[in-house]
Amino acid sequence: QVQLVESGGGLVQAGGSLRLSCAASGRTFRNYVMGWFRQAPGKEREFVGAIPWSGGRTYYADSVKGRFTISRDNAKNTVDLQMSSLKPEDTAVYYCAARTIATMQYEHWGQGTQVTVSS
């Protein structure tokens, strides 16, 4: 059974940095795309970025491009989200998710980790 567990959330001041990590287990993720999403209070969940597990281009939402970086560590089976130049509007619960390359629907989700950026 696929398990995704996020960690690294917390409180940070505007302009600061934070690194989230997603530990993936339960299967081989070679044919998967790993994504990060976020949901702010009262708003819909939105796409942050994604990376193919086997390598290749990463994708980012315009709102985070140039500030956030997604990377993966195959040895540790983790996917990280490095967030820099954080803004109060980045405050949200951040979720790690996984889908197969063949589908567009993310099938597996973590429980989420809270990120709060103070002004």
Side-chain angles (χ1 to χ4, degrees):
Q1 186 174 351
V2 173
Q3 261 202 318
L4 303 174
V5 180
E6 303 95 336
S7 61
L11 174 64
V12 64
Q13 285 192 328
S17 299
L18 208 56
R19 189 178 186 91
L20 306 183
S21 187
C22 172
S25 62
R27 67 168 304 130
T28 302
F29 291 92
R30 186 175 54 198
N31 296 320
Y32 276 71
V33 175
M34 307 300 292
W36 283 97
F37 290 77
R38 67 186 182 185
Q39 187 166 21
K43 294 189 175 181
E44 300 218 340
R45 185 170 58 199
E46 65 171 350
F47 172 79
V48 173
I51 184 170
W53 191 272
S54 58
R57 180 185 169 184
T58 51
Y59 298 84
Y60 299 97
D62 287 343
S63 58
V64 306
K65 207 171 288 184
R67 300 188 299 122
F68 290 12
T69 303
I70 296 176
S71 61
R72 76 200 186 288
D73 187 325
N74 290 344
K76 296 181 181 178
N77 250 31
T78 58
V79 177
D80 290 353
L81 178 65
Q82 176 67 46
M83 305 183 293
S84 303
S85 303
L86 282 162
K87 306 174 183 180
E89 50 264 43
D90 294 318
T91 295
V93 177
Y94 283 71
Y95 297 91
C96 175
R99 64 170 175 87
T100 61
I101 293 174
T103 68
M104 294 305 294
Q105 191 103 11
Y106 282 86
E107 309 156 288
H108 308 288
W109 294 84
Q111 84 287 350
T113 185
Q114 176 71 47
V115 171
T116 303
V117 184
S118 63
S119 56

